[in-house]
Structure formats: structure tokens, C-alpha cells
């Protein structure tokens, strides 16, 4: 993959998550997977779904986090049931 920093230097962003390096890197991985399909159809399907899930979760996180969290790391509302028993 190429260095994504230069490509995004002068971009106009429509959404807050588009500024995140992790979002841009995940989107680059999904584009790379689309351009270089895997021979094994099951592996290709799993890699595609996993990559898309990562991109969508990163995009959802800024909207779904509590605005006044007392934690140093806010947990998205959709993930809170996973943490209900931990503590």
C-alpha cells in the first residue's frame, strides 16, 4: 500500500471520522482487498466482511460515544452490553 498521508493532505472532509488515520488506513485495506481478490472464496468473503465492518465501526464511533463520559475512553453505545459484566 502507498503512503496515505500525502493523498489526504488537501482533501475536503464531509464527516468527522474521515479525518482519522485509522479510518483512512482501514478504507485503504478494503480498497486493496477489492483490487487483489483472494483465490479462496471463503477467505475472500471473510476478509471483505471484516474490512467493511472495521470501516463502518470506526465511522460510527464518533456519533455513538457518550458526550460526557467520565471514562478516559468512551465506549460506543452499541458495544456497552459487551462490557456490562466486566468491572
Amino acid at each position: 500500500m502507498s503512503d496515505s498521508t500525502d493523498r489526504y493532505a488537501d482533501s475536503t472532509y464531509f464527516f468527522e471520522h474521515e479525518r482519522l488515520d485509522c479510518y483512512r488506513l482501514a478504507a485503504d485495506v478494503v480498497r486493496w482487498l477489492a483490487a487483489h481478490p483472494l483465490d479462496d472464496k471463503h477467505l475472500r468473503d471473510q476478509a471483505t466482511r471484516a474490512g467493511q465492518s472495521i470501516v463502518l465501526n470506526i465511522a460510527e464511533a464518533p456519533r455513538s460515544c457518550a458526550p460526557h463520559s467520565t471514562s478516559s475512553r468512551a465506549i460506543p453505545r452499541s458495544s456497552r452490553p459487551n462490557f456490562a459484566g466486566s468491572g
Side-chain angles (χ1 to χ4, degrees), residues 6-85:
D6 296 331
R7 179 167 43 157
Y8 296 103
D10 297 326
S11 296
T12 300
Y13 302 105
F14 294 103
F15 301 103
E16 180 180 341
H17 63 268
E18 291 177 322
R19 296 173 190 249
L20 299 173
D21 290 339
C22 59
Y23 174 83
R24 290 185 268 169
L25 179 61
D28 284 346
V29 169
V30 170
R31 281 190 287 275
W32 186 88
L33 285 169
H36 301 86
L38 300 168
D39 292 333
D40 182 333
K41 70 177 187 175
H42 298 293
L43 183 58
R44 179 179 58 239
D45 180 57
Q46 179 64 27
T48 301
R49 287 186 292 118
Q52 290 171 344
S53 177
I54 293 168
V55 170
L56 294 172
N57 285 331
I58 293 169
E60 182 184 76
R63 295 182 292 115
S64 64
C65 291
H68 302 311
S69 176
T70 58
S71 171
S72 62
R73 290 179 279 159
I75 300 170
R77 289 185 192 109
S78 61
S79 299
R80 289 183 186 161
N82 299 333
F83 295 96

